[in-house]
């Protein structure tokens, strides 16, 4: 279920793509055996960067919020994958409550919710939207930019189950990443499937734990594929107990930056890469492109000015930043209409169901594109094809996106391993 996607882009990442094409049979068997031992996340999205010499994930989201950016042609794949996911969790499920983010004024986000609800309804589920927002005290209808409307209802609790007025659902799907913590209404549920699990939310999840799991997955995959794991895996380090406002931990952070830059320089030298290495320092928990800085020298994280300290101190929902991941930066050589672009691959269950390009006209090849001013370009079908074409060039669209799908599936597999261990962290909001 890897779609044939239209793109005018091409680039030099041919050796790795060719190896993937040559070993498609082995790759698919490897994934089949791996998934036999792990439960996929219900859904996920993976930010992928293609540097021309390296192809790697830089972030994995377990509460994807951009289904409205997928091309309409992708919907049959998404519905089929959602059917597979629903059958696993509750084969006789009749109903589901979808819990969105609290920010009800973001109509673009709500358009994502409408698209996601539509996918789920076409699997045969009665889907209603239960909000944990304090602003939703009664059923409230929102008009969307595309002419649709959406009805949000207050989430209610009865005993150890949640639902909406008149509906006690078989399953509850979170599209709320719990950055502000787990609302009491969702704690200690019993006899009701909650997806993703509470510890998938940013109240407890850490990016460093995800990439540690990704390390283990990639080591096994790279051995099978007979490649250097670094070609599909960014180096990273983790530091905690920082206080950006008080400048506590700056020297330790600088040492970590120097460590990751040093390892990256060695690889660049090994492969004859002339690009300048860089790292991305970002909050170990959180999303929305907040709490991120690009660094090319360790000295840049010492003596940050007030603006920089404020930027790094707080992320979504006012969450204070004390833990960071220092990740090897992966350049992107891709562009659309002269604007820098990176693919975002969407998955439901273990299947790739589409994606889009995140594009930013004001950012460079070595900068974070998840920032104000970005826009999205859907990836559409060129023909009804869901397998790579081994007779075509490695950089042909169908084959390039097969490679992107492989990377996304590796990240989703890492997420499944990550979620198998429940962290001992307080969940309360």
């Amino acid at each position: 279920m890897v779609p044939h996607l239209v793109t005018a882009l091409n680039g030099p990442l041919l050796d790795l793509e060719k190896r993937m094409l040559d070993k498609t049979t082995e790759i698919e068997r490897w994934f089949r055996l791996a998934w036999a031992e792990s439960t996929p996340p219900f859904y996920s999205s993976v930010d992928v960067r293609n540097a021309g010499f390296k192809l790697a994930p830089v972030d994995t989201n377990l509460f994807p919020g951009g289904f409205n950016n997928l091309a309409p042609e992708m919907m049959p794949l998404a519905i089929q994958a959602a059917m597979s996911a629903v059958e696993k969790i509750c084969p006789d499920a009749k109903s589901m409550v979808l819990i969105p983010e609290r920010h009800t004024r973001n109509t673009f986000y709500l358009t994502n919710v409408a698209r996601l609800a539509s996918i789920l309804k076409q699997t045969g589920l009665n889907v209603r939207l239960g909000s944990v927002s304090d602003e939703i005290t009664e059923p409230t209808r929102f008009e969307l930019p595309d002419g649709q409307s959406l009805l949000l209802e207050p989430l209610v609790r009865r005993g150890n189950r949640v639902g909406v007025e008149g509906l006690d659902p078989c399953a509850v799907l979170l599209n709320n990443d719990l950055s502000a913590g787990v609302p009491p209404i969702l704690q200690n549920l019993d006899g009701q499937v909650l997806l993703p699990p509470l510890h998938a939310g940013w109240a407890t999840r850490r990016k460093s734990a995800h990439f540690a799991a990704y390390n283990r997955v990639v080591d096994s995959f790279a051995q099978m594929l007979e490649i250097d794991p670094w070609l599909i895996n960014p180096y990273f380090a983790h530091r905690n107990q920082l206080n950006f406002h008080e400048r506590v931990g700056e020297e330790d952070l600088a040492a970590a930056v120097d460590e990751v830059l040093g390892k990256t320089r060695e690889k660049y030298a090994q492969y004859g890469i002339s690009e300048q290495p860089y790292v991305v320092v970002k909050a170990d928990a959180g999303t929305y492109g907040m709490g991120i800085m690009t660094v090319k020298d360790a000295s840049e994280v010492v003596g940050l000015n007030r603006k920089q300290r404020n930027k790094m101190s707080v992320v979504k929902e006012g969450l204070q930043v004390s833990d960071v991941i220092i990740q090897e930066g992966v350049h992107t050589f891709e562009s659309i209409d002269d604007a820098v672009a990176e693919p975002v691959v969407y998955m439901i269950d273990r299947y790739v169901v589409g994606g889009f390009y995140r594009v930013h006209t004001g950012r460079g090849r070595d900068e974070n594109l998840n920032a104000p001013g970005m826009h999205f370009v859907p990836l559409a079908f060129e023909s009804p094809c869901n397998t790579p074409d081994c007779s075509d060039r490695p950089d042909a669209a169908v084959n390039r996106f097969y490679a992107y799908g492989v990377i996304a599936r590796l990240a989703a597999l890492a997420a499944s391993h990550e979620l198998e261990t429940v962290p001992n962290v307080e969940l309360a909001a």
Side-chain angles (χ1 to χ4, degrees):
M1 293 184 69
V2 180
H4 190 178
L5 303 164
V6 176
T7 176
L9 305 174
N10 51 55
L13 192 74
L14 300 182
D15 290 344
L16 177 60
E17 292 167 328
K18 185 175 188 306
R19 183 168 291 272
M20 287 187 180
L21 289 180
D22 291 343
K23 290 195 170 248
T24 298
T25 301
E26 291 92 333
I27 287 172
E28 297 307 322
R29 179 176 185 274
W30 186 92
F31 274 116
R32 177 162 49 83
L33 295 176
W35 285 124
E37 300 178 358
S38 299
T39 301
F42 185 87
Y43 51 12
S44 60
S45 66
V46 183
D47 294 357
V48 179
R49 301 274 285 204
N50 186 345
F53 54 85
K54 178 171 185 153
L55 178 65
V58 294
D59 212 357
T60 301
N61 185 2
L62 298 182
F63 303 86
F67 281 95
N68 55 308
N69 294 319
L70 302 184
E73 294 93 337
M74 299 298 189
M75 289 308 98
L77 278 180
I79 294 165
Q80 185 179 357
M83 283 183 176
S84 174
V86 170
E87 287 170 0
K88 287 179 182 176
I89 61 171
C90 189
D92 58 351
K94 295 180 180 179
S95 58
M96 176 181 283
V97 164
L98 173 60
I99 301 178
E101 294 280 4
R102 298 172 188 259
H103 44 256
T104 55
R105 292 183 176 85
N106 185 337
T107 55
F108 292 102
Y109 169 73
L110 291 180
T111 305
N112 151 75
V113 174
R115 174 67 69 85
L116 179 56
S118 174
I119 291 169
L120 295 169
K121 286 176 182 177
Q122 292 182 76
T123 69
L125 290 172
N126 175 21
V127 180
R128 287 167 66 180
L129 307 178
S131 176
V132 295
S133 171
D134 294 336
E135 299 178 2
I136 305 298
T137 58
E138 61 183 7
T140 306
R141 189 165 296 279
F142 292 84
E143 301 300 323
L144 304 180
D146 60 2
Q148 296 185 76
S149 65
L150 207 59
L151 183 67
L152 295 187
E153 304 177 67
L155 191 70
V156 295
R157 180 152 178 160
R158 301 178 186 88
N160 291 328
R161 298 173 68 88
V162 295
V164 293
E165 187 64 37
L167 179 65
D168 180 17
C170 308
V172 177
L173 180 64
L174 287 167
N175 198 243
N176 180 318
D177 64 21
L178 306 177
S179 290
V182 180
I185 195 172
L186 292 177
Q187 296 178 26
N188 302 312
L189 299 183
D190 186 27
Q192 196 169 36
V193 178
L194 179 65
L195 297 166
L198 292 178
H199 64 277
W202 289 124
T204 51
R205 184 178 180 234
R206 297 294 178 263
K207 295 175 185 177
S208 54
H210 173 73
F211 280 98
Y214 185 78
N215 276 348
R216 295 187 291 271
V217 167
V218 165
D219 283 348
S220 170
F221 181 81
Q223 185 176 5
M224 178 275 297
L225 200 59
E226 299 177 301
I227 62 169
D228 180 351
W230 177 78
L231 294 173
I232 55 174
N233 191 12
Y235 287 131
F236 79 94
H238 169 245
R239 291 295 184 271
N240 57 16
Q241 298 182 330
L242 301 177
N243 186 319
F244 284 97
H245 277 307
E246 303 295 330
R247 292 181 169 156
V248 173
E250 280 188 347
E251 297 296 336
D252 194 26
L253 176 58
V257 169
D258 205 38
E259 172 195 337
V260 176
L261 281 174
K263 292 167 67 176
T264 306
R265 288 190 192 102
E266 289 179 5
K267 282 295 182 181
Y268 278 28
Q270 176 183 340
Y271 286 96
I273 297 164
S274 59
E275 300 283 354
Q276 182 179 7
Y278 70 100
V279 302
V280 178
V281 179
K282 53 188 173 182
D284 205 20
T287 184
Y288 277 49
M290 302 174 71
I292 295 178
M293 64 186 301
T294 299
V295 178
K296 296 179 180 177
D297 188 272
S299 63
E300 296 175 36
V301 299
V302 178
L304 296 177
N305 61 39
R306 179 180 296 179
K307 182 179 179 181
Q308 291 169 320
R309 297 201 309 274
N310 288 340
K311 175 184 175 183
M312 292 301 298
S313 294
V314 180
V315 290
K316 183 184 171 190
E317 302 280 7
L319 193 67
Q320 296 293 315
V321 176
S322 60
D323 295 7
V324 299
I325 181 172
I326 303 95
Q327 187 179 67
E328 173 195 344
V330 182
H331 300 79
T332 177
F333 83 97
E334 299 186 283
S335 64
I336 294 177
D337 295 332
D338 297 323
V340 176
E342 66 184 8
V344 183
V345 181
Y346 268 57
M347 297 185 62
I348 297 178
D349 196 65
R350 59 192 177 99
Y351 304 107
V352 173
V353 299
F356 52 84
Y357 271 105
R358 179 183 288 122
V359 184
H360 204 300
T361 57
R363 294 292 175 107
R365 298 171 61 238
D366 58 358
E367 292 184 284
N368 169 44
L369 304 187
N370 189 3
M374 64 182 170
H375 66 277
F376 307 103
V377 177
L379 305 175
F381 280 115
E382 184 178 68
S383 63
C385 174
N386 59 12
T387 56
D389 184 354
C390 296
S391 65
D392 206 341
R393 308 181 321 277
D395 64 340
V398 63
N399 295 329
R400 170 139 292 160
F401 282 97
Y402 175 75
Y404 290 174
V406 168
I407 298 300
R409 287 187 283 169
L410 290 172
L413 183 59
S416 74
H417 294 179
E418 179 191 357
L419 296 179
E420 287 168 2
T421 301
V422 181
N424 185 24
V425 180
E426 180 59 49
L427 290 175

